């Protein structure tokens, strides 16, 4: 009980009314964490200063959800979704909630750093002026084509800035990459769209409007493309209150969080997705009557059944379900695309939609709308393109590498040899906010602000019917001595002079943003408009962005889909070994969540494991191999080998094992370092036709180690699996 | 003071003393074991312990009553737990019982102290042999009778008869 | 001193038929188990993270946890509908009577179970007696290295070791909303505010509101005949209704 | 001739009876006093060695470990969700159980005038008091914020709160406090004449010590009368208190809404269980006292072990009866959670404990104690007593942490693995022994005046050819 609190105050307080008095309480030792306050006044029942709320954009992934951040006394307290933003309509995912643990993470890069020697741990703090000088030198002392920018999938404004710079000066166009994009096989999706609809674009799947959804490996409730909006779509599908409850079937070889929600979970042999899709197409069109369209004519359902391990009756039943429904929708994604025949799978599954002819109809497939200030569809680099960059680095064609918003040394499979390639790059400059693996290798680290301290915007690539440009603004003043990368580049360009200076004729980042937004000021059908740019930008920040008011999704031109032929061949699997290997992105950690303690403490939706990596294995298989829960096994692929404890997982094929991607950092702060392993290390250099990594296209061996590492799980082995309850 | 080795002579002595006119109030018996008045043919002793105990029980009960029936109404607001009444039925029985017992037993204990004026470290008339099982009779009498009594007691088999002087125990 | 009036009112409130005031409906059919509610709750309510070892030993402090079980064997295996379990804010709560120091009491005004941290002496009887096992105990002073404390919500007590805690239905938000409504001389409007978990839930599987107001969305949903309340048979009068769906 | 023989036999019979019964071979009071004084004042080096070792254990196990736990929080112990209660409460119940023996012997046996009680009422009463001290320690360790434990006390405070009388823990507080105070007073009252004796025949610091304790007791008629009255009241009144204490302890569990706990028979079941372990502890203490302390072979004889063993046998049967009663009804009730719990107790990872409990508490006592010769053999009875105590500890362990592992939320089921509880538990045990050792050297373990009183009351009587023991009512 604090000294300054007298009994009279207490009695005064006691009059405040039942609600408050109901918890007037006694004294006790004051908390060791917060300002000492009389326990009489539990903060829950008092005003502790006024809060201010700022609209900005979430940077945990590239989807571009709008956030409203509550700040109090200059501290960011809580993030909520921005209810106005058409993409997420006021909702957030777990990572959006935990972004504050990134902002106030104890392990951030606090100052611009110069590394004493490449790869060494020792660094020295620089002044920002010196830092900007260093960037300027790097720009002007090298041939433009020797300068490369490697950027993350967010933020877009910086990408635009660098693109402009590149265009104007002849530098290499910036390359964007992100592990999420890699595991989403975005290149494959857009290529498939191009082949089928004649237009490269990210298909938009209107799950909410559908009656029946067949998902071939698409993990759209986890990290896929735009999880929040797809989750909303799923809720729409299941919205029993307003319409008849839609059915959902998932085809995959390892039950994902998404698969867990399916009414029917079809376990098929990896690589047979295309075959199954086409077989269902054929059976469905048989049910529909009339001639079998060319697209499905060259598959034999019986053959498909035997190859995929799905019974023919099951296929017929599914075909019935698909053909019988008004709004049936088939989605390709996830591991199904990350195989040697990924493109074929994507095309086959998209073609299946022709059965219900849902193209451009509610509950069907659209082409995602381009963002307001976007002219053409852009996609992140495929693994193959990354490999090309790596090759250029090996060949010494790259002298300076700028890295922002991406951590290739962790996100890119080791087998792509990025680590080896950087040795041939004379200068690496990282703009990392956190001391990640790449930053640790960089010669300079010029830390960017955290997303919540930054200006900017992000184009919504997919997930919303309206074109959306989510706006970002600082919700708190920078906590450390960091500086916006855009400002650094602008300043450096001025310093470098010449074409550089001309390319970026701006005072600072904000002025650049204004130049980019100017075109929208009085555009038709906009959510906001203003006479002068300052007012417009004020609105822009206040509303958390700018969006068109009407649906601008493209209608796929699917005229001759049914008349094309599709390859039904199965995928090829690299490496010998008895197990198919399925790496999947941890739904809670994704690629960059591992350094946020509360994300680490979130139970994985399927296994409830916290703080670690595991290997999922079918109970039968485990039994045959004499492996139990928490036994550490060695997973051996052609590329590498890893050790991780086993989680005996009831919903995975006996011939398949799976591992979550997200842990296994060697840098990146106290909560991430030396925790778990990174399954990307196991992946070999194999691509599908679209150039995406065939991350699910490998076979691996399992070896026992005799070690044990108890996994930290929220669930009870006794209660959920009956393990340790005593024999019946 | 006369010290006897055994009950019988002591009892006889007391009888004799009474016959030669020493009043019971002027005698006091000290023994190492609880020798009942009956054994020595002495008038039964008066003790307040039971009454004090009763009083204590009453106080304890009141305390319990206060806790069980009054305190729930002393809060600044009515505290409700799990839809139970402010004054729960059965639990009050427990409270009443425990506090009554506590009061009673404490009082009994104190009763012994009050009645026998414990603790008392002042010098008192006493002979250590008592705790060896001997029985001592303290007689208060005028100096003139002293001689007479001493003889009588000796005749009755007292081990020793002497002027009892108060000593520090 | 409690006036006779207070007591009269509360005696009435003791009746078993009370509907309660605040309630929640959770649609397990659309809950995807994405853990957004768990994260939102942790951020809103200053819940400590406990690290790998303790969380693996049943000491994680989540106020809301998402349960899932398995049905059948491979290949016909199914994941049971995700089941977010939080304090059910029982109308007749087993946790309340057993606390020797009134650290967990029933709020007359809000019809909620209050946990008064600073009264708690840590006997942990309430947690034993909670049929839903939703109470979490501060087994240690879990470290929150600088500058993480900057994120702490000033409206919520920071608990120290030896104290029991549990979901409060975000009572700080309830207070704010009610005070504001009072200031504007009106009743709190349904949907004017909601709990952190409900606000975050991307699938809108969680609905929060007044169950004593027949017009509110939550009570209209509670009316749905396919709602179930967990362990109702114990007579705890839980305030959270679940739609199993499927 | 034959007559002579008979006579001889009778004479022999008398001899036999006399050495068998303490009450029948009286010694002069003075000599008995001397023996008791001697037993207190002679201590071998072994005593001091053990004493030192125990002190170290107490210092580390009890005080240091507790300090660590207070500083670190209960995380250093093994408690978790759902086993929020662990060995701390097991020990609390266990020690309260031990404490029941003393009262049982010195109160119930006194009320029923069981004469064999006389020499060891005090030895037993000491156990009661010291046992309760350990129970107190254990329950305070259990609290998350022990530095606020005084908040449980009913006193007008600025929190404007009184303890919650709805809570079984509050009843516990009242009951245990009452029990501790009254049993301590009950230990002290009969002690007064004996310390008076000690005062009369000791010197130096002991003199002053006893002088203070004796409060100036002389043994006047008045003093004896007050004492007798008081002891009479105590003997009667402390019995219900004793029963209430363990009943209320059992309500901590029985009042909860948990499967396996919510059982109406827990009250008597716990009381009998308490006596079971209590008697076991008494024989252990007596065996040790008899074996290690001077002159004790005279006061504590096989007859006493025989008598207590009979009690143990009966109590063991009673315990078995209550156990089966509880088990049967729970099993028959068929509630799915209860069934699950029972299966877990028997077949689960702690199943061995469940069977050990039955063997130690029922099988072994029944197998051994029916035999009169074994009953009268201290070391055999000692072992039986030891096993019973282990068995009863297991019983509490099964009722608390093991049962807590299973609840109505299978998602949270978890095992309990003790941590710092172990040194702390050992600490309390060591402290108990330490206190007892100290007491055995400071206060007369044998109530000499009671023994003498008893010896006065006993005599051999001849009915025809048979000589029998007869007791006369003195009080």
């Amino acid at each position: 009980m604090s000294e300054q609190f007298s009994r009279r105050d207490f009695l005064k307080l006691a009059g405040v009314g039942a609600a408050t008095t109901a918890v007037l309480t006694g004294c006790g030792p004051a908390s060791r964490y917060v300002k000492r306050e009389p326990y009489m006044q539990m903060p829950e029942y008092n005003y502790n200063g006024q809060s201010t709320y700022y609209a900005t954009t979430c940077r945990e992934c590239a989807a571009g959800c709008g956030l409203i951040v509550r700040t109090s006394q200059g501290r960011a307290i809580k993030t909520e979704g921005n209810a106005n933003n058409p993409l997420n309509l006021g909702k957030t995912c777990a990572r959006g909630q935990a972004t504050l643990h990134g902002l106030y993470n104890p392990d951030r890069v606090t100052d611009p750093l110069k590394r004493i020697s490449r790869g060494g741990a020792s660094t020295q703090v620089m002044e920002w002026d010196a830092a900007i000088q260093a960037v300027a030198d790097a720009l002007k002392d090298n041939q433009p084509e020797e300068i490369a920018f490697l950027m993350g999938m967010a933020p877009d404004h910086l990408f635009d800035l660098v693109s402009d710079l590149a265009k104007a000066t002849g530098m290499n166009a910036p390359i964007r990459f992100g592990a999420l994009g890699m595991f989403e096989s975005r290149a494959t999706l857009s290529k498939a769209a191009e082949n089928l609809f004649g237009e490269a674009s990210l298909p938009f799947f209107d799950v909410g409007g559908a009656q029946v959804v067949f998902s071939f490996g698409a993990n759209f409730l986890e990290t896929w493309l735009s999880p929040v909006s797809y989750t909303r779509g799923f809720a729409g599908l299941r919205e029993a209150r307003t319409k008849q409850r839609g059915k959902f079937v998932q085809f995959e070889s390892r039950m994902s969080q998404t698969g867990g929600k399916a009414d029917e979970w079809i376990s098929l042999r990896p690589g047979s997705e295309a075959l199954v899709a086409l077989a269902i197409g054929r059976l469905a069109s048989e049910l529909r009557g009339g001639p079998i369209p060319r697209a499905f004519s060259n598959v034999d359902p019986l053959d498909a059944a035997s190859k995929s391990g799905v019974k023919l009756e099951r296929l017929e039943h599914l075909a019935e379900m698909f053909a019988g429904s008004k709004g049936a929708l088939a989605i390709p994604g996830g591991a199904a695309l990350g195989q040697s025949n990924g493109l074929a799978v994507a095309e086959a599954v998209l073609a299946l939609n022709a059965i219900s002819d849902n193209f451009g109809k509610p509950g069907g497939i659209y082409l995602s709308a381009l963002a307001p200030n976007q002219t053409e569809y852009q996609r992140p680099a495929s693994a193959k393109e990354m490999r090309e960059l790596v090759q250029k680095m090996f060949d010494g064609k790259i002298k300076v590498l700028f890295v922002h918003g991406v951590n290739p040394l962790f996100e890119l499979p080791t087998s792509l040899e990025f680590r080896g390639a950087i040795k041939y790059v004379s200068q690496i400059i990282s703009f990392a906010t956190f001391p990640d693996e790449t930053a640790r290798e960089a010669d300079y680290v010029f830390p960017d602000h955290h997303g919540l301290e930054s200006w900017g915007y992000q184009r919504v690539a997919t997930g919303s019917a309206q074109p959306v440009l989510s706006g970002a603004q600082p919700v708190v003043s920078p906590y450390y001595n960091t500086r916006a990368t855009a400002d650094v580049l602008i300043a450096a360009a001025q310093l470098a002079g010449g074409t550089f200076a001309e390319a970026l004729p701006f005072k600072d980042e904000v002025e650049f943003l204004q130049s980019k937004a100017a075109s929208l000021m009085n555009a038709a059908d906009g959510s906001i408009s203003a006479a002068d740019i300052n007012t417009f930008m004020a609105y822009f920040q206040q509303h958390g962005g700018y969006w068109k008011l009407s649906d601008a999704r493209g209608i796929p031109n699917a005229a001759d889909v049914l008349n094309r032929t599709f390859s039904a061949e199965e995928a090829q699997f690299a490496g010998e070994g008895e197990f198919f290997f399925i790496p999947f992105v941890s739904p809670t950690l994704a690629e960059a969540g591992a350094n946020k303690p509360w994300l680490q403490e979130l139970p994985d939706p399927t296994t409830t494991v916290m703080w670690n990596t595991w290997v999922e294995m079918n109970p039968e298989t485990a039994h045959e191999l004499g492996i139990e829960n928490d036994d550490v096994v060695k997973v051996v692929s052609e590329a590498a080998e890893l050790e991780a404890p086993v989680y005996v997982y009831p919903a995975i094929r006996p011939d398949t094992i799976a591992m979550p991607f997200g842990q296994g950092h060697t840098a990146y702060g106290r909560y991430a370092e030396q925790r778990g392993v990174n399954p990307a290390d196991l992946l070999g250099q194999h691509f599908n036709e679209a150039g995406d990594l065939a991350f699910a296209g490998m076979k691996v061996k399992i070896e026992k180690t005799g070690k044990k590492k108890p996994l930290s799980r929220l669930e009870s082995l006794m209660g959920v699996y009956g393990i340790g309850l005593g024999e019946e | 003071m006369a010290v006897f080795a055994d009950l019988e002579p002591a009892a006889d002595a007391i009888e004799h003393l009474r016959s030669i006119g020493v009043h019971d109030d002027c005698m006091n018996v000290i023994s190492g074991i609880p020798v009942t008045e009956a054994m020595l043919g002495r008038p039964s002793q008066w003790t307040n312990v039971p009454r004090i105990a009763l009083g204590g029980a009453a106080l304890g009960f009141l305390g319990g009553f206060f806790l069980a029936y009054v305190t729930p109404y002393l809060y600044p607001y009515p505290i409700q737990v799990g839809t139970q009444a402010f004054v729960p039925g059965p639990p009050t029985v427990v409270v009443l019982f425990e506090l009554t017992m506590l009061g009673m037993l404490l009082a009994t204990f104190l009763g012994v102290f009050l009645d026998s004026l414990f603790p008392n470290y002042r010098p008192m008339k006493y002979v250590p042999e008592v705790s060896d099982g001997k029985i001592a009779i303290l007689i208060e009498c005028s100096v003139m009778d002293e001689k007479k009594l001493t003889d009588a007691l000796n005749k009755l088999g007292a081990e020793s008869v002497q002027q009892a002087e108060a000593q520090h125990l | 001193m409690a006036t006779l009036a207070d007591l009269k009112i509360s005696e009435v409130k003791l009746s078993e038929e009370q509907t309660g005031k605040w309630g929640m409906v959770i649609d397990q059919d659309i809950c995807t188990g994405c853990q957004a509610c768990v994260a939102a709750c942790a951020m809103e309510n200053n819940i400590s993270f406990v690290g790998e070892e303790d969380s693996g030993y049943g000491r994680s402090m989540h106020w809301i946890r998402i349960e899932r079980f398995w049905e059948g064997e491979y290949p016909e295996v199914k994941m049971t509908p995700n089941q977010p379990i939080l304090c059910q804010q029982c109308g007749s709560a087993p946790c309340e009577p057993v606390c020797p120091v009134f650290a967990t009491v029933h709020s007359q005004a809000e019809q909620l179970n209050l946990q008064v941290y600073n009264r708690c002496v840590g006997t942990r009887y309430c947690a034993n007696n909670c049929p839903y096992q939703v109470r979490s105990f501060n087994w240690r002073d879990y470290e929150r290295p600088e500058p993480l404390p900057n994120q702490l919500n000033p409206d919520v007590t920071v608990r120290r070791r030896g104290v029991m805690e549990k979901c409060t239905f975000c009572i700080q938000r309830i207070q704010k909303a009610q005070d504001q409504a009072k200031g504007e001389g009106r009743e709190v409007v349904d949907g004017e505010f909601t709990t952190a978990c409900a606000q975050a839930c991307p699938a809108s599987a969680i609905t929060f509101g007044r169950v004593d107001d027949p017009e509110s969305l939550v009570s209209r949903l509670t009316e749905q005949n396919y709602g179930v309340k967990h362990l109702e048979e114990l007579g705890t009068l839980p305030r959270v209704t679940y739609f199993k769906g499927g | 001739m034959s007559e002579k023989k008979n006579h001889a036999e009778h004479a022999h019979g008398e001899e036999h009876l006399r050495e068998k019964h303490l009450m029948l071979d009286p010694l002069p009071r003075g000599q008995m006093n001397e023996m008791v004084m001697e037993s207190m004042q002679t201590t071998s080096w072994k005593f001091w060695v053990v004493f030192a070792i125990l002190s170290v254990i107490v210092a580390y196990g009890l005080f240091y470990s507790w300090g660590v736990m207070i500083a670190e929080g209960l995380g250093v112990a093994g408690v978790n969700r759902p086993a929020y209660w662990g060995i701390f409460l097991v020990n609390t119940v266990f020690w309260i159980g031990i404490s029941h023996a003393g009262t049982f012997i010195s109160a119930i046996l006194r009320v029923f005038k069981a004469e064999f009680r006389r020499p060891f009422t005090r030895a037993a009463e000491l156990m009661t008091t010291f046992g309760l001290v350990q129970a107190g320690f254990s329950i305070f360790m259990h609290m998350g914020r022990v530095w606020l434990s005084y908040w449980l006390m009913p006193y007008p405070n600025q929190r404007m709160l009184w303890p919650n009388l709805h809570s079984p823990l509050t009843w516990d507080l009242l009951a245990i406090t009452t029990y501790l105070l009254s049993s301590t007073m009950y230990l002290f009252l009969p002690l007064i004449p004996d310390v008076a004796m000690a005062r009369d025949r000791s010197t130096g610091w002991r003199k002053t010590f006893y002088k203070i304790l004796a409060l100036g007791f002389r043994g006047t008629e008045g003093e004896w009368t007050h004492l007798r009255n008081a002891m009479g009241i105590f003997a009667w009144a402390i019995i219900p208190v004793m029963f209430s204490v363990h009943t209320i302890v059992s309500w901590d569990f029985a009042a909860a809404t948990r499967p396996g706990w919510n059982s109406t028979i827990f009250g008597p079941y716990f009381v009998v269980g308490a006596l079971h372990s209590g008697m076991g502890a008494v024989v252990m203490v007596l065996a040790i006292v008899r074996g290690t302390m001077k002159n004790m072979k005279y006061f504590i004889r096989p007859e006493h072990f025989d008598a207590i063993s009979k009690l143990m046998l009966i109590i063991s049967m009673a315990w078995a009866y209550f156990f089966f009663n509880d088990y049967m009804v729970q099993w028959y009730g068929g509630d799915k959670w209860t069934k699950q719990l029972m299966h877990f107790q028997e077949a689960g990872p702690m199943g061995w404990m469940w069977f050990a409990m039955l063997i130690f508490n029922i099988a072994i006592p029944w197998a051994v104690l029916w035999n009169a010769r074994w009953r009268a053999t201290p070391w055999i009875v000692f072992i039986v007593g030891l096993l019973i105590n282990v068995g009863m500890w297991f019983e509490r362990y099964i009722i608390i942490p093991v049962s807590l592992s299973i609840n109505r939320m299978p998602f949270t089921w978890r095992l309990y693995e003790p941590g710092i509880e172990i040194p702390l538990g050992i600490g309390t045990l060591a402290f108990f022994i330490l206190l007892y050792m100290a007491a055995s050297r400071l206060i007369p373990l044998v109530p000499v005046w009671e023994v003498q009183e008893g010896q006065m009351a006993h005599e051999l009587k001849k009915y025809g050819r048979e000589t029998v023991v007869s007791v006369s009512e003195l009080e």
Side-chain angles (χ1 to χ4, degrees), chain C residues 203-219:
Chain C
S204 311
I206 306 177
T207 317
F208 173 82
R210 293 283 293 262
V211 281
D212 57 350
D213 161 19
E215 293 316 300
S216 71
L217 176 58
V218 70
S219 36

Side-chain angles (χ1 to χ4, degrees), chain D residues 99-112:
Chain D
S99 73
H100 274 46
T103 320
F104 181 77
I105 287 171
S106 53
I108 296 189
L109 296 190
R110 178 174 272 140
V111 166
F112 293 114

